[in-house]
Amino acid sequence: MTRLARPRRRVSLVGVLTAALLATPLIALSTPAAAQPTAAPGPALIPKPSSQQALAGQDYSLKPWSVVGVASTSKERRAAQKVAELLTAQLRRSTGYPLPVVPLVPGVTDIKLSTNGPASLGAEGYQLRVDRKGLSVTAATPEGLFRGVTTLRQLLPAKADAKTRQAGPWTLAGTAIADSPRFGYRGVMLDVSRHFFSVAEVKRYIDLASLYKVNKFHMHLADDQGWRIQVDSWPRLTTYGGSLETTGTPGGSYTKAQFAEIVRYAADRYLQVIPEIDTPGHTNAALASYAELNCDGVAPPLYTGTEVGFSTLCIDKPITYDFLGDVFREVAQQTPGDVIHLGGDEAHSTPHEDYLKFVPKAAALVTKQHKRVMGWQEIADAPLPPGSIAQYWGTDDARSQELARKAAAQGAKVVMSPANRAYLDMKYDASTPWGQDWAALVDVKTAYDWNPSTLIPNLPESAIAGVEAPLWTETLDDLDKLEYMAFPRLPGIAELGWSQASALDWTAYRERLGGQGSRWDALSVNFYRAPEINWR
């Protein structure tokens, strides 16, 4: 992302304003204020804020000479400045305005971004105000500031997200917003094992998810079909185990430098990367790479199909735990977040008594790296260390719900990812050209119209960490297909995680969702134009 040079700290504000004026076409300066069209009613936001009040007659128009002022503590200055630069880099492209970023000067800078808000706003809360004097976003942290800026982007006309310069005006309706999230975990998962996606493609998915206040990016990095993250102590995992993908096409993997780039990019948008190394099943790529990991010492061939449940690590071999110890250590070193996902699902080829022995051993190798354990719901059958997270992927079946309650009974938190509602690879209807239907056909209403805190009987809301929308890629081999399956359903899952339960209403949401179509057009998103939505 190209950015204009940051003004020096001692630059004269007069000089900044003069430069902005000189860079502005005279025709823009000569347009009378009275000729500026009145803003339409404020855009319908997703996720819906905790509170939003219209300020009649208080419309504000971004000007060619507008200046962005940043106020923060010295400790947070760099992070707050980066949030401002991410915003202005996009707006410079679409508006053509200079939009210099300077330290906040009350009464002079008409766009104010501040991290000096009250601590009561929490890590992600913010206050936003638009009136005729300007606009402001106030938070207690740079992360909260970023969440407020994503709301600000939705308040602007959709063309503000275009890649090229567009014609103004850039008018925002007067509004006052106070907002904070319902759940602390709001995630998306991308399976890069079945089909591999480049760093640029992953960044694109992160960008789109971040617009809807998602804060976790779960990467499914190892499965039967491919191993995608570099592990120096076991190099054949990527050189051989990552060489193919589903359908037998060439695969790929991320070097440590490339993975670090993804982690940094996500962090700049306040998404925590959660790496998943699926164990003890879904391990054929590893077993094919190293014969000694197999119970019989014979490596199976690489696998390019889509069946599940046939592979397993050898639970009684000491080398299994040497291997996992090395893998978790190197993955932990590459991931600054506090969670590693060890999988644990669909281990059909692992005898259950072996599975119950394996999970505590694997979990101990994760906690040894000072990381919290996360796994699919099946891990709740075994004892879990404190701070664990179980990911529910059931389809309302009694066994899955029982596992979620068992996790909560151990003090673990539960992330809600019901496959028949939140799996973005499920077909919308029988005619959807990609995706699967084993869990259900999931139209836009089905993906949205459920409550995370009441879906599983007798699971207290206090046990729920939040929601996640997984996207598996057995049938998805390019970015256009990813976007088609994720949009428009992903924003609905994000709203379930952010907005208060009282705000969740399908009829009202459907109308708000329709307004996102023009923004996705500006962003060149290949979204599914669901017939039940009035796109506009």
Side-chain angles (χ1 to χ4, degrees):
M1 182 177 291
T2 302
R3 297 173 182 155
L4 298 187
R6 180 186 305 175
R8 294 173 183 161
R9 283 188 185 174
R10 295 188 181 181
V11 70
S12 162
L13 188 57
V14 172
V16 171
L17 294 172
T18 301
L21 291 172
L22 291 175
T24 303
L26 291 178
I27 188 170
L29 291 175
S30 63
T31 303
Q36 298 294 329
T38 301
L45 301 171
I46 297 176
K48 187 175 182 180
S50 303
S51 69
Q52 181 178 9
Q53 177 185 0
L55 303 178
Q58 293 287 322
D59 300 347
Y60 163 78
S61 291
L62 190 67
K63 305 295 194 302
W65 52 88
S66 290
V67 176
V68 179
V70 178
S72 65
T73 64
S74 58
K75 181 180 179 181
E76 296 173 336
R77 185 169 296 131
R78 184 174 181 182
Q81 182 88 6
K82 186 173 289 187
V83 172
E85 290 173 347
L86 284 172
L87 171 66
T88 55
Q90 173 54 41
L91 294 183
R92 288 170 189 148
R93 280 194 291 270
S94 57
T95 68
Y97 298 168
L99 297 175
V101 178
V102 301
L104 191 149
V105 179
V108 177
T109 47
D110 53 335
I111 302 172
K112 306 173 182 66
L113 305 180
S114 172
T115 60
N116 294 333
S120 58
L121 289 172
E124 295 188 275
Y126 66 91
Q127 297 168 337
L128 186 153
R129 182 178 177 89
V130 178
D131 58 34
R132 64 169 61 96
K133 296 178 182 178
L135 58 89
S136 65
V137 181
T138 303
T141 68
E143 182 175 9
L145 188 65
F146 182 82
R147 304 296 174 219
V149 163
T150 63
T151 298
L152 172 60
R153 286 182 63 174
Q154 288 194 42
L155 291 172
L156 284 159
K159 60 188 176 182
D161 280 320
K163 295 179 181 178
T164 57
R165 186 170 179 173
Q166 306 292 307
W170 304 98
T171 304
L172 298 82
T175 189
I177 294 172
D179 201 10
S180 60
R182 179 185 181 191
F183 293 111
Y185 189 112
R186 305 174 309 280
V188 293
M189 187 215 79
L190 181 60
D191 168 20
V192 296
S193 297
R194 274 51 178 268
H195 280 102
F196 180 70
F197 291 88
S198 69
V199 171
E201 290 170 325
V202 170
K203 286 181 176 180
R204 164 74 169 182
Y205 198 62
I206 289 170
D207 276 333
L208 295 177
S210 72
L211 293 176
Y212 297 96
K213 299 181 173 61
V214 167
N215 67 350
K216 310 292 182 186
F217 183 51
H218 172 183
M219 296 189 73
H220 187 79
L221 292 163
D223 210 299
D224 291 317
Q225 295 85 351
W227 188 287
R228 309 302 182 196
I229 187 169
Q230 181 180 344
V231 178
D232 291 339
S233 51
W234 299 78
R236 274 177 59 84
L237 291 173
T238 49
T239 58
Y240 184 68
S243 61
L244 296 177
E245 59 185 12
T246 302
T247 69
T249 45
S253 60
Y254 306 113
T255 65
K256 288 191 172 181
Q258 289 173 326
F259 191 73
E261 185 178 352
I262 290 171
V263 169
R264 284 193 303 268
Y265 194 85
D268 283 348
R269 288 144 186 82
Y270 292 92
L271 276 78
Q272 174 190 349
V273 171
I274 298 176
E276 181 186 354
I277 304 298
D278 209 344
T279 60
H282 291 277
T283 47
N284 192 80
L287 298 173
S289 301
Y290 288 96
E292 58 267 38
L293 295 177
N294 296 269
C295 290
D296 60 3
V298 177
L302 293 172
Y303 182 68
T304 58
T306 59
E307 295 301 317
V308 299
F310 62 88
S311 61
T312 182
L313 293 172
C314 195
I315 304 305
D316 291 328
K317 266 192 169 184
I319 195 173
T320 294
Y321 305 98
D322 294 338
F323 165 72
L324 289 178
D326 289 338
V327 168
F328 289 144
R329 173 177 48 80
E330 292 197 38
V331 171
Q333 290 169 351
Q334 297 180 66
T335 312
D338 66 341
V339 176
I340 287 181
H341 200 301
L342 54 74
D345 61 316
E346 298 175 322
H348 306 320
S349 296
T350 310
H352 193 58
E353 58 273 21
D354 284 351
Y355 182 87
L356 297 180
K357 289 191 298 184
F358 170 83
V359 171
K361 289 184 177 181
L365 295 173
V366 171
T367 59
K368 183 179 179 181
Q369 303 304 322
H370 308 289
K371 304 291 187 181
R372 298 166 63 199
V373 171
M374 187 171 181
W376 298 101
Q377 63 194 25
E378 289 92 330
I379 67 169
D381 252 349
L384 299 176
S388 295
I389 304 169
Q391 187 165 3
Y392 173 81
W393 62 277
T395 56
D396 303 335
D397 57 292
R399 174 59 175 158
S400 295
Q401 294 183 349
E402 177 193 0
L403 287 168
R405 289 188 289 267
K406 287 184 72 171
Q410 297 191 56
K413 295 292 187 180
V414 179
V415 168
M416 301 297 291
S417 300
N420 56 342
R421 293 173 175 86
Y423 272 28
L424 300 179
D425 56 304
M426 291 298 111
K427 292 173 177 282
Y428 293 97
D429 58 35
S431 66
T432 304
W434 308 293
Q436 304 188 80
D437 60 5
W438 61 263
L441 297 174
V442 181
D443 60 19
V444 181
K445 180 179 181 181
T446 301
Y448 176 82
D449 200 15
W450 59 283
N451 188 332
S453 65
T454 60
L455 184 68
I456 299 177
N458 301 316
L459 180 69
E461 182 166 333
S462 61
I464 298 173
V467 297
E468 182 178 290
L471 183 52
W472 303 97
T473 61
E474 286 93 337
T475 68
L476 310 176
D477 58 1
D478 63 41
L479 189 59
D480 278 351
K481 294 172 186 174
L482 291 184
E483 293 180 1
Y484 185 88
M485 301 304 287
F487 292 90
R489 292 181 292 193
L490 187 155
I493 304 297
E495 175 156 302
L496 294 180
W498 180 277
S499 301
Q500 300 304 308
S502 59
L504 305 179
D505 176 79
W506 163 248
T507 301
Y509 173 75
R510 180 175 59 184
E511 290 305 307
R512 286 186 285 119
L513 182 61
Q516 297 292 309
S518 58
R519 190 165 305 278
W520 295 338
D521 283 336
L523 288 163
S524 301
V525 177
N526 182 43
F527 69 99
Y528 169 58
R529 297 178 188 270
E532 64 267 37
I533 307 300
N534 178 25
W535 299 107
R536 56 192 187 279

